[in-house]
Amino acid sequence: MNTYMKKAIDLAMNNVTDGGQPFGAVIVRDDKIVAEGVNELHLIHDISGHAEMIAIRKAQKLFQTNDLSEFTIYASGEPCAMCLTAMYFAGIKDIYFCQSIDDAKKVGLTKSSEIYEDLKLNREERSIVMKQVNLSNAENPMQYWQSKQNKE
């Protein structure tokens, strides 16, 4: 196990000791840890307070960028759908993890597994009801954004 993964595991173990869930993550650039995080759900009551999300926020703030394509993330557990999506948006291409979503499910951490299964379904079949509301062009934020982009 390399130094970065060891740090992610140590963070996860310490988080369990502190009453949290077994998740830790570090972000690396140029062979240096630049950001780290643990699940803070039990502390901040923010469902997005996952280890990977917190590490991503810290790295983006530190480097004042949304583009983390030159960074690598090491996480104690396989990223949930939310964290993985954030990694896609941030451009992170190298993701290393130890324990899978199936491993998490075996110890009672089932939400990620349930969400991944739900996302495989067509929108109309998912457990969350999603309804599209049509907009006119005058009140359409995307049209407004596009018009501003074309003027710049």
Side-chain angles (χ1 to χ4, degrees):
M1 178 181 320
N2 75 21
T3 304
Y4 311 126
M5 188 58 79
K6 172 97 173 76
K7 178 65 175 177
I9 296 300
D10 288 346
L11 288 167
M13 297 293 278
N14 290 336
N15 201 45
V16 171
T17 299
D18 292 341
Q21 293 180 332
F23 301 104
V26 297
I27 295 181
V28 175
R29 181 178 179 195
D30 298 327
D31 293 322
K32 180 182 174 196
I33 294 175
V34 297
E36 59 186 49
V38 297
N39 271 38
E40 295 182 355
L41 304 174
H42 64 296
L43 298 174
I44 62 175
H45 306 290
D46 174 357
I47 203 67
S48 69
H50 289 202
E52 301 93 330
M53 297 291 284
I54 290 170
I56 288 168
R57 287 180 189 133
K58 287 178 180 178
Q60 288 180 325
K61 185 174 183 179
L62 177 66
F63 291 93
Q64 292 293 292
T65 184
N66 291 327
D67 180 7
L68 300 180
S69 58
E70 296 178 15
F71 298 72
T72 301
I73 194 162
Y74 294 82
S76 61
E78 182 176 359
C80 73
M82 174 182 63
C83 293
L84 183 59
T85 300
M87 291 175 206
Y88 272 103
F89 273 107
I92 297 172
K93 294 177 183 67
D94 293 316
I95 303 165
Y96 296 90
F97 66 91
C98 285
Q99 296 188 284
S100 71
I101 287 176
D102 289 336
D103 294 331
K105 186 176 178 181
K106 290 174 188 172
V107 298
L109 297 164
T110 61
K111 193 52 109 174
S112 289
S113 174
E114 293 167 6
I115 291 170
Y116 269 114
E117 288 303 313
D118 207 48
L119 289 173
K120 291 178 186 177
L121 302 173
N122 291 323
R123 186 181 304 140
E124 303 79 29
E125 300 172 314
R126 294 182 187 150
S127 62
I128 293 177
V129 177
M130 296 174 62
K131 298 178 183 178
Q132 184 173 9
V133 176
N134 293 319
L135 300 172
S136 70
N137 282 341
E139 59 188 6
N140 186 320
M142 288 188 188
Q143 293 290 329
Y144 178 58
W145 176 83
Q146 184 180 37
S147 71
K148 293 199 56 87
Q149 297 301 305
N150 291 337
K151 290 178 184 175
E152 292 178 4

